[in-house]
Amino acid sequence: FGRTEVIDNTLNPDFVRKFIMDYFFEERENLRFDFYDVDSKSPNLSKHDFLGQMFCTLGEIVGSQGSRLEKPIVGIPGKKCGTVIVTAEELGCCRDSVLMQFCANKLDKKDFFGKSDPFLVFHRSNEDGSFTICHKTEVVKNTLNPVWQAFKISVRALCNGDYDRTIKVEVYDWDRDGSHDFIGEFTTSYRELSRGQSQFNVYEVINPKKKGKKKKYVNSGTVTLLSFLIETEVSFLDYIKGGTQINFTVAIDFTASNGNPSQPTSLHYMNPYQLNAYGMALRAVGEIIQDYDSDKMFPALGFGARLPPDGRVSHEFALNGNPQNPYCHGIDGVMEAYYRSLKCVQLYGPTNFAPVINHVARYAASVKDGSQYFVLLIVTDGVISDMAQTKESIVNASKLPMSIIIVGVGPAEFDAMEELDGDVVRISSRGRFAERDIVQFVPFRDYIDRSGNHVLSMARLAKDVLAEIPEQFLSYMRVRGIKPSPAPPPYTPPIHVLQTQI
């Protein structure tokens, strides 16, 4: 991907070169850093001494406190190779929005019976010199001196983050039949506009046709910028950097419709050579989310089984057998507990979701200050038995810092799940609507790779399942007015004192 500069004669280099990468929360982006001692001008790495390497994911770096990851360098057996510190920061220019307001004076009269009905159209210029519409104001009726409402637009949409790129503004007179009359136009740039209200931001509206025909033509009126306010949008990473933790909880369906785990036809079959659908879904989602949870301890629950010793049915039991402490260490710990409980519980029924949703909601309700956000992954084979209670739980949970991911495995009809995923119709219970959409449902069968490449199907599943989480997370923070905590101060390397012998 890239190389740093070479720093001579030091064992504690502080590299300056930065690398710009695309970041996607929902993808696992693996990175490898190789270290070399350069002894000659040759660009060929095999001519230089290998000092070791470090493996991590981009999520691990941004998910570390202050987005600063410190890790040992490995790769030379029996040798301590030192440590590497990697920091990440989000690029700021693409996150600003601008709130602007314009008015106009003495625009040309276009209507036979009245004054004009003016509106503005903003275009950003593209690399090839063409223009793309990026904003239209509302129409102000029957005036040659309109004041338009203030509007907000992202800097990216306005000029693609390039402050000197041309912005073209056209002024039109609105007509009911859609054949709006062109009054005139002017050009500006983000840099000019950012000077705010001043004599620099009064623009003459020019109609090139009139200018060509009439010698005495001055302009078709003027447009003035009344106000210009920059707002920096806070991003998902601002919260992560400020220390917000994402807590991941797993809930697995142990109902009898999954089939007997000892039979190869069962969705819970423990194949010694490959993961079953439950295992794949757990791993795919868990491996990405675990980068954002500092203690890597995940509660893992099961529902719909009879438990030893007395055979009582539970819809909220700890997979590790410890109801007081259902936490498992890392995604490997979750897998271990899942396999263990398959051996000792009896698959039963019905399929009730509400208890596990309420379980996580109890925790989420106790920390509403933005320091934690909860993601519940439910993996299920089927038709839900407590639809009314589940809807009620989801409507209540939509006020809390939590999101729910449902992965449907097996061949069943998942119509009810589609209903819970509020993408088309917002979910409601007893006349109350969910405050925001917090459920994402996907059927696992859509991700089975035809060629049998499970790595691919797991990556695709994780991508679709997790894509909505950052926006759901931000919608909670926005509604509650929670700002990200400030990030810890940037790391400054210790100063190494050179000792000299006299």
Side-chain angles (χ1 to χ4, degrees):
F1 185 87
R3 287 186 193 184
T4 67
E5 72 281 15
V6 175
I7 299 182
D8 290 333
N9 294 330
T10 176
L11 301 179
N12 302 298
D14 189 7
F15 297 105
V16 175
R17 184 165 303 158
K18 296 179 170 69
F19 300 98
I20 295 176
M21 311 186 78
D22 290 329
Y23 162 78
F24 303 100
F25 168 74
E26 65 274 16
E27 290 179 28
R28 187 181 168 92
E29 300 175 77
N30 293 312
L31 305 176
R32 184 181 96 208
F33 297 83
D34 290 352
F35 300 86
Y36 288 91
D37 170 27
V38 169
D39 287 321
S40 70
K41 291 269 188 286
S42 169
N44 182 350
L45 287 174
S46 61
K47 299 270 193 291
H48 305 293
D49 297 330
F50 177 65
L51 300 176
Q53 57 192 179
M54 186 273 275
F55 297 89
C56 68
T57 66
L58 189 52
E60 243 178 297
I61 304 172
V62 288
S64 302
Q65 200 194 351
S67 298
R68 170 182 178 272
L69 177 69
E70 189 167 337
K71 249 187 152 177
I73 298 169
V74 298
I76 301 175
K79 190 172 176 217
K80 280 207 163 108
C81 303
T83 52
V84 57
I85 296 159
V86 188
T87 54
E89 60 176 324
E90 194 172 6
L91 292 178
C93 78
C94 24
R95 301 209 327 244
D96 289 350
S97 288
V98 187
L99 189 66
M100 297 190 276
Q101 187 175 20
F102 289 88
C103 69
N105 279 73
K106 298 183 181 165
L107 293 176
D108 283 357
K109 176 173 175 295
K110 288 284 183 184
D111 290 347
F112 197 61
F113 291 113
K115 296 173 178 164
S116 295
D117 304 320
F119 66 97
L120 300 178
V121 181
F122 290 74
H123 303 258
R124 71 162 179 270
S125 58
N126 304 317
E127 297 290 341
D128 61 2
S130 62
F131 285 93
T132 304
I133 290 187
C134 56
H135 182 76
K136 281 183 186 171
T137 66
E138 78 284 7
V139 176
V140 183
K141 290 288 183 73
N142 203 23
T143 175
L144 301 179
N145 302 301
V147 179
W148 289 282
Q149 287 169 16
F151 65 92
K152 189 170 165 184
I153 186 171
S154 73
V155 174
R156 194 188 263 161
L158 189 63
C159 61
N160 215 357
D162 177 350
Y163 292 176
D164 297 304
R165 191 175 285 206
T166 302
I167 297 167
K168 182 168 83 171
V169 185
E170 295 175 332
V171 189
Y172 284 94
D173 165 36
W174 178 84
D175 279 328
R176 180 167 281 115
D177 64 4
S179 61
H180 311 308
D181 299 320
F182 177 67
I183 294 175
E185 63 186 19
F186 62 92
T187 59
T188 177
S189 68
Y190 177 89
R191 198 176 298 284
E192 279 184 49
L193 292 170
S194 65
R195 293 167 161 185
Q197 189 182 15
S198 67
Q199 77 269 29
F200 300 111
N201 276 317
V202 179
Y203 296 94
E204 289 194 73
V205 177
I206 302 296
N207 184 331
K209 274 189 183 164
K210 277 193 171 180
K211 196 172 183 180
K213 282 181 187 164
K214 295 182 181 173
K215 285 199 174 125
K216 286 188 178 167
Y217 176 78
V218 182
N219 61 39
S220 296
T222 58
V223 168
T224 303
L225 174 71
L226 292 174
S227 64
F228 185 91
L229 201 70
I230 300 169
E231 293 180 14
T232 299
E233 296 284 327
V234 289
S235 73
F236 174 69
L237 283 187
D238 289 326
Y239 290 92
I240 298 297
K241 212 169 185 171
T244 297
Q245 288 293 310
I246 294 193
N247 297 309
F248 180 48
T249 302
V250 169
I252 294 178
D253 181 337
F254 282 84
T255 55
S257 53
N258 283 282
N260 181 343
S262 60
Q263 301 294 320
T265 50
S266 168
L267 293 166
H268 280 305
Y269 179 59
M270 287 201 274
N271 182 333
Y273 304 109
Q274 69 175 61
L275 293 171
N276 61 27
Y278 278 87
M280 277 199 247
L282 287 178
R283 229 181 224 307
V285 177
E287 283 195 334
I288 288 173
I289 286 198
Q290 69 180 358
D291 287 340
Y292 299 87
D293 189 325
S294 58
D295 65 5
K296 310 276 184 272
M297 297 299 287
F298 307 123
L301 310 169
F303 58 92
R306 292 177 97 153
L307 307 190
D310 52 359
R312 67 185 176 86
V313 176
S314 171
H315 295 294
E316 180 191 345
F317 62 90
L319 293 190
N320 63 4
N322 181 348
Q324 274 66 52
N325 183 3
Y327 290 85
C328 304
H329 192 270
I331 216 61
D332 290 334
V334 172
M335 302 295 284
E336 222 169 280
Y338 161 56
Y339 290 135
R340 218 209 61 186
S341 50
L342 271 179
K343 293 190 177 108
C344 58
V345 305
Q346 183 196 345
L347 301 194
Y348 204 69
T351 308
N352 291 353
F353 280 13
V356 290
I357 295 174
N358 293 336
H359 175 103
V360 176
R362 282 195 294 277
Y363 287 93
S366 66
V367 278
K368 295 183 187 166
D369 60 356
S371 62
Q372 301 188 40
Y373 191 86
F374 294 79
V375 176
L376 167 63
L377 170 66
I378 301 176
V379 193
T380 178
D381 79 321
V383 180
I384 185 167
S385 315
D386 64 341
M387 192 65 175
Q389 292 87 332
T390 295
K391 282 181 164 179
E392 177 85 354
S393 304
I394 291 171
V395 170
N396 293 337
S398 68
K399 295 185 172 62
L400 301 173
M402 72 181 271
S403 289
I404 301 167
I405 294 164
I406 305 172
V407 177
V409 294
E413 284 305 318
F414 291 120
D415 299 355
M417 307 296 170
E418 300 283 5
E419 193 184 332
L420 297 179
D421 185 335
D423 284 350
V424 184
V425 179
R426 182 64 59 91
I427 185 173
S428 63
S429 168
R430 296 192 295 187
R432 288 187 310 135
F433 281 85
E435 186 179 289
R436 52 198 186 92
D437 173 21
I438 60 166
V439 180
Q440 170 74 336
F441 167 73
V442 297
F444 188 72
R445 56 175 170 250
D446 293 0
Y447 296 86
I448 303 297
D449 188 72
R450 298 281 176 270
S451 63
N453 181 340
H454 292 310
V455 175
L456 259 180
S457 37
M458 285 165 71
R460 287 193 197 116
L461 173 76
K463 195 174 159 152
D464 276 13
V465 159
L466 294 171
E468 289 184 12
I469 298 280
E471 196 35 60
Q472 289 177 3
F473 173 102
L474 285 171
S475 74
Y476 174 80
M477 300 298 179
R478 274 189 215 116
V479 168
R480 296 285 174 285
I482 298 168
K483 298 272 181 281
S485 305
Y491 169 75
T492 39
I495 295 162
H496 296 283
V497 181
L498 291 175
Q499 295 182 325
T500 52
Q501 279 185 318
I502 299 173

